[in-house]
């Protein structure tokens, strides 16, 4: 291990009471610049708002403010054009930018940090970043919902088996199944909006933890940075990472929805199910088995869910034992959020593409919808409605009919009238009207039910809110 301890390398920001620089390992564990450089734009925006307010309140001079703002804008273009040299010795994005500012404008740079601490600075930068990411997620979810609405409209009448326990339950339409995902992603989007609303308070001005004696105006900076209002407790402000946790919980729930969809696509695209054919754009072949087309994108979305959920658990665990207010543990919040955000974006984009591209095999869905005695409930309901049987007795009689069909190796609709009348004499020819999948599906017009007429109503409802 190289010994870097010498008096000359003590930190230029807080080096006043330190005689020597950090040990190399200390530098490595302490530095966050490797990942928090992602916050450069938010850091610069925050500093400009802060400096402007300081000048406005007469805390720094207008000339110093102008130099600071100009210097910060130069740094912004240096970073964006890849010319900026990040240094691990300067720990994090805040100190990297401030050190560069000092080189660019001299002593005026030292006035920027008046009435501020890295604690409220990082809380601000990270909040701004998460807020922007949530806004991006909202837009992406809207595109995903639109893809589902289009498929639902196209397949409002396409029958497929509905499952419980992954056993054939009752026929539904593919449009109805798509609309189930619209509800799920619609709730995710509502959670995203709530999360934006919750975090919409500006932390800057909380300073280290106790506020400041300088006559700052936190309402002014809040407004300049697009926040609804400033936070109300300076201790909470620098110790709070709820906004990051909320982002991760919203992301985790959404990822779970994406993963369930991914799992269905994996199942549907097997030759055994054959409900969908994936486009070449979202599948891969096998290097050894020429017949294969693998749903890799869906599988990876399923896997990324583990990673996103892991980030939530990681940050919850990082935060759980921390005394108020700031502790350096909180520096570990960013990588979890950045990784989850990147992977959630990928997962949503992949699923949007897959849903739009895949071929729905209407014939295969229809064949499966009619098998497995999927209309047994319709027979029982018919006996209740037309023959006046109590539902429990109708259920029992239908059970006999299913057993008989099973013995004969046929579907319910293929039993003869004689067969059915032997089970219950009240059964007439008319029963065959409800034993087809189309009749079954069309009859389920209850609010939110699978009948094409009802599904179209729900599509119209969602179109008007998308
Ligand atoms: N890099 C730090 C972080 O991400 C910034 C805040 C440091 N504050 C401090 N008092 N050391 O949390």
């Amino acid at each position: 291990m190289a010994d870097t301890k010498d008096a000359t390398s003590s930190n230029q920001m807080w080096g006043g009471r330190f005689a020597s620089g950090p040990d190399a390992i200390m530098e490595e564990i302490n530095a966050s610049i490797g990942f928090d450089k992602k916050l450069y734009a938010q850091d610069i925006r925050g500093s400009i708002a802060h400096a402007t307010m300081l000048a406005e309140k007469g805390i720094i001079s207008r000339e110093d403010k102008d130099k600071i703002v100009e210097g910060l804008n130069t740094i912004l273009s240096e970073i964006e054009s890849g010319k900026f040299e990040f240094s691990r010795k300067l720990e994090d994005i805040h100190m990297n930018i401030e050190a560069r500012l000092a080189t660019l404008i001299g002593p005026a740079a030292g006035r920027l940090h008046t009435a501020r601490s890295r604690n409220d600075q990082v809380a601000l930068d990270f909040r701004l970043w998460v807020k922007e990411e949530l806004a991006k997620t909202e837009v992406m979810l809207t595109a995903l919902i639109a893809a589902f609405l289009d498929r639902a409209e196209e397949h409002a009448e396409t029958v497929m088996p509905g499952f419980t326990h992954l056993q054939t339950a009752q026929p539904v339409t593919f449009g109805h199944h798509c609309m189930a995902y619209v509800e799920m992603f619609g709730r995710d989007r509502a959670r995203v909006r709530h999360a934006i609303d919750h975090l919409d308070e500006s932390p800057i001005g909380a300073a280290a933890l106790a506020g400041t004696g300088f006559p700052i105006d936190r309402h002014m900076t809040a407004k300049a940075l697009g926040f609804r209002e400033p936070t109300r407790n300076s201790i909470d402000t620098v110790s709070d990472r709820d906004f990051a946790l909320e982002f991760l919980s919203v992301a985790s729930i959404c990822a779970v929805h994406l993963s369930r969809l991914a799992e269905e696509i994996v199942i549907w695209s097997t030759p055994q199910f054959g409900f969908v054919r994936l486009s070449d754009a979202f599948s891969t072949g096998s290097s050894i088995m020429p017949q294969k087309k693998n749903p890799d994108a869906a599988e990876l979305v399923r896997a990324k869910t583990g990673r996103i959920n892991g980030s939530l658990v990681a940050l919850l665990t990082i935060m759980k034992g921390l005394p108020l207010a700031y502790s350096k543990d909180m520096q570990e919040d960013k990588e979890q959020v950045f990784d989850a955000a990147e992977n959630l974006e990928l997962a949503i984009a992949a699923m949007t593409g897959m849903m739009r591209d895949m071929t729905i095999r209407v014939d295969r869905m229809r064949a499966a919808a009619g098998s497995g005695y999927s209309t047994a409930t319709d027979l029982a309901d018919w006996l209740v409605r037309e023959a006046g049987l109590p539902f429990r007795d109708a259920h029992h009689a239908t059970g006999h009919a299913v057993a008989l069909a099973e013995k004969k190796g046929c579907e319910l609709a293929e039993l003869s009238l004689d067969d059915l009348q032997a089970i219950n004499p009240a059964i007439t020819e008319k029963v065959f009207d409800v034993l087809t999948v189309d009749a079954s599906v069309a009859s389920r017009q209850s609010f939110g039910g699978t009948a094409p007429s009802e599904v179209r109503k729900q599509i119209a409802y969602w179109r008007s809110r998308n």
Side-chain angles (χ1 to χ4, degrees):
M1 198 186 305
D3 187 4
T4 57
K5 288 179 186 166
D6 71 85
T8 51
S9 65
S10 90
N11 186 288
Q12 51 177 299
M13 296 296 155
W14 39 253
R17 73 175 280 259
F18 286 78
S20 67
D23 187 274
I25 281 293
M26 178 55 195
E27 187 178 299
E28 188 168 344
I29 195 171
N30 200 34
S32 54
I33 189 64
F35 49 88
D36 69 13
K37 58 168 95 141
K38 238 188 165 69
L39 299 175
Y40 74 89
Q42 291 76 10
D43 196 72
I44 290 173
R45 262 176 71 202
S47 289
I48 290 177
H50 181 67
T52 307
M53 180 277 293
L54 290 177
E56 210 61 46
K57 302 300 290 179
I59 302 167
I60 63 171
S61 71
R62 223 153 264 288
E63 300 73 62
D64 284 346
K65 185 268 285 183
D66 289 342
K67 278 191 210 152
I68 290 170
V69 171
E70 205 192 308
L72 288 170
N73 281 324
T74 305
I75 294 172
L76 182 66
S77 47
E78 284 178 353
I79 296 178
E80 291 189 333
S81 60
K83 283 194 215 115
F84 192 92
E85 271 182 45
F86 292 100
S87 148
R88 201 169 75 173
K89 283 219 165 359
L90 292 165
E91 265 185 62
D92 57 23
I93 187 63
H94 324 295
M95 299 208 288
N96 267 267
I97 290 177
E98 200 180 320
R100 178 71 186 138
L101 190 63
T103 317
L104 286 173
I105 68 167
R111 300 198 184 274
L112 171 60
H113 214 54
T114 315
R116 157 177 110 162
S117 145
R118 273 189 298 154
N119 296 351
D120 57 342
Q121 193 178 354
V122 74
L124 169 67
D125 296 359
F126 199 27
R127 250 184 218 242
L128 284 172
W129 193 92
V130 171
K131 191 178 172 189
E132 284 164 34
E133 188 60 31
L134 283 165
K136 210 188 279 180
T137 310
E138 184 182 350
V139 171
M140 294 191 75
L141 283 173
T142 297
L144 177 61
I145 290 170
F148 271 102
L149 287 173
D150 289 349
R151 292 324 303 253
E153 193 141 30
E154 196 185 323
H155 292 285
E157 313 213 356
T158 301
V159 289
M160 70 179 277
F163 300 95
T164 57
H165 313 266
L166 196 57
Q167 306 286 327
T168 301
Q170 293 172 344
V172 295
T173 66
F174 184 64
H176 193 211
H177 199 98
C178 286
M179 292 306 290
Y181 281 102
V182 167
E183 296 287 336
M184 290 148 84
F185 295 124
R187 287 194 297 274
D188 290 333
R189 191 175 52 182
R191 270 184 284 272
V192 165
R193 289 174 181 157
H194 284 150
I196 294 176
D197 194 54
H198 269 160
L199 68 62
D200 209 8
E201 296 175 353
S202 170
I204 193 74
L209 82 163
T212 174
F214 290 99
I216 59 168
D217 184 344
R218 295 192 57 211
H219 294 272
M220 190 186 289
T221 39
K223 193 157 174 244
L225 292 164
F227 287 106
R228 188 179 54 231
E229 57 193 337
T231 54
R232 291 176 185 279
N233 181 299
S234 58
I235 299 175
D236 175 51
T237 302
V238 295
S239 75
D240 165 38
R241 288 297 180 273
D242 289 8
F243 61 94
L245 287 170
E246 276 201 51
F247 171 77
L248 290 172
S249 16
V250 167
S252 292
I253 298 174
C254 179
V256 166
H257 291 156
L258 291 164
S259 185
R260 293 180 76 173
L261 172 62
E263 172 64 7
E264 295 210 300
I265 290 176
V266 168
I267 294 173
W268 292 343
S269 62
T270 57
Q272 289 74 10
F273 265 76
F275 285 4
V276 301
R277 197 176 296 114
L278 296 179
S279 69
D280 290 350
F282 285 99
S283 44
T284 61
S286 157
S287 54
I288 177 172
M289 297 163 282
Q291 85 284 9
K292 288 196 77 176
K293 192 163 184 182
N294 296 326
D296 297 43
E299 293 168 288
L300 287 164
V301 166
R302 196 170 55 182
K304 288 197 180 298
T305 303
R307 186 166 170 167
I308 294 167
N309 296 358
S311 292
L312 170 62
V313 175
L315 187 55
L316 285 169
T317 312
I318 288 166
M319 296 304 295
K320 73 175 264 296
L322 300 187
L324 308 188
Y326 178 86
S327 295
K328 196 61 173 264
D329 311 50
M330 289 159 71
Q331 177 163 288
E332 296 274 319
D333 55 2
K334 288 164 218 66
E335 282 169 294
Q336 302 303 332
V337 168
F338 292 158
D339 188 75
E342 187 181 317
N343 285 291
L344 184 68
E345 275 187 35
L346 254 177
I348 298 176
M351 279 316 194
T352 307
M354 238 183 294
M355 278 313 296
R356 286 213 174 273
D357 273 20
M358 73 190 182
T359 307
I360 307 307
R361 302 181 67 188
V362 175
D363 50 335
R364 296 278 310 195
M365 284 190 177
R366 170 168 289 277
S371 70
Y373 312 109
S374 65
T375 55
T377 318
D378 298 272
L379 173 55
D381 286 350
W382 188 90
L383 286 166
V384 170
R385 238 180 11 249
E386 307 294 328
L389 265 64
F391 183 76
R392 283 292 158 223
D393 297 347
H395 184 283
H396 200 73
T398 305
H400 282 306
V402 169
L404 182 62
E406 225 163 21
K407 205 165 94 195
K408 294 194 159 190
C410 68
E411 292 299 326
L412 278 179
E414 289 163 1
L415 288 173
S416 69
L417 187 57
D418 283 349
D419 285 339
L420 290 168
Q421 282 175 339
I423 291 164
N424 191 302
I427 295 178
T428 69
E429 191 71 40
K430 283 232 227 69
V431 78
F432 291 103
D433 292 348
V434 302
L435 294 183
T436 68
V437 287
D438 292 293
S440 165
V441 157
S443 73
R444 296 206 151 73
Q445 290 172 14
S446 52
F447 188 82
T450 205
S453 57
E454 188 54 33
V455 169
R456 289 207 172 89
K457 272 187 218 155
Q458 301 306 337
I459 296 172
Y461 169 83
W462 276 102
R463 285 242 188 256
S464 73
R465 345 179 71 212
N466 205 40

